[in-house]
């Protein structure tokens, strides 16, 4: 759609697990690109997230396959176990195997008109080589 984003790469399990959790803001042209060692069905959630996030699951070729507007969840309650907290979070699954997932500030996809079927371009070969 002619927009350039500066995405922080999440290339290993600890970085992918943390994602954008704990951040109070996401820059309008910022976000994160998650790179997995191979394509598979993915599922994300809003654990410890303080701001709404848009998410797009991409095919191996960068085609947007599934998109969501993920809303902030109520925080973990006093006395609530980690498992109970995790189990009550909404899940946002990919509809097809995805190797790449992009998260941006909430409302970004609507603002720029991104839609399922669009293609996002990035240096896939470099990211694949760095993913663990």
């Amino acid at each position: 759609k002619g927009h350039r984003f500066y995405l922080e790469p999440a290339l290993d399990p600890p970085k992918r697990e943390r994602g954008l959790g704990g951040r109070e803001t996401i820059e309008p042209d910022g976000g994160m690109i998650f790179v997995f060692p191979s394509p598979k069905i993915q599922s994300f959630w809003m654990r410890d997230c303080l701001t709404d996030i848009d998410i797009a699951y991409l095919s191996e070729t960068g085609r947007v396959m599934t998109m969501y507007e993920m809303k902030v969840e109520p925080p973990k309650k006093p006395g609530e176990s980690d498992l109970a907290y995790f189990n009550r979070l909404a899940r946002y699954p990919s509809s097809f195997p995805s190797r790449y997932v992009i998260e941006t500030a909430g409302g970004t996809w609507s603002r720029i008109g991104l839609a399922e079927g669009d293609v996002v371009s990035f240096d896939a070969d470099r990211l694949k080589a760095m993913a663990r």
Side-chain angles (χ1 to χ4, degrees):
K1 300 291 181 180
H3 295 271
R4 181 178 297 269
F5 288 85
Y6 301 91
L7 303 173
E8 182 180 337
L11 303 169
D12 59 37
K15 186 75 170 187
R16 289 190 294 262
E17 184 176 325
R18 180 73 179 150
L20 294 173
R23 301 196 190 181
E24 294 181 1
T25 61
I26 302 168
E27 294 296 321
D29 63 349
M32 186 170 279
I33 184 165
F34 297 77
V35 184
F36 295 89
S38 61
K40 66 178 188 173
I41 297 291
Q42 307 291 345
S43 186
F44 279 49
W45 48 87
M46 294 287 283
R47 182 179 194 146
D48 300 323
C49 292
L50 306 174
T51 185
D52 294 345
I53 295 174
D54 282 1
I55 187 169
Y57 293 97
L58 309 178
S59 72
E60 189 78 18
T61 61
R63 184 167 308 278
V64 177
M65 303 301 288
T66 311
M67 302 167 53
Y68 295 100
E69 295 178 355
M70 302 190 302
K71 300 297 181 188
V72 171
E73 298 266 359
K76 185 178 170 189
K77 300 171 188 160
E80 184 176 27
S81 72
D82 287 339
L83 181 60
Y85 170 62
F86 180 74
N87 284 338
R88 74 170 161 83
L89 298 175
R91 300 300 194 267
Y92 300 90
S94 61
S95 53
F96 296 92
S98 296
R99 184 169 200 167
Y100 310 103
V101 180
I102 295 177
E103 290 184 340
T104 60
T108 299
W109 300 154
S110 177
R111 176 175 54 85
I112 69 171
L114 188 72
E116 290 180 3
D118 289 346
V119 175
V120 176
S121 58
F122 53 92
D123 189 346
D125 290 335
R126 183 168 175 230
L127 290 171
K128 283 191 284 193
M130 296 180 347
R132 298 182 299 248

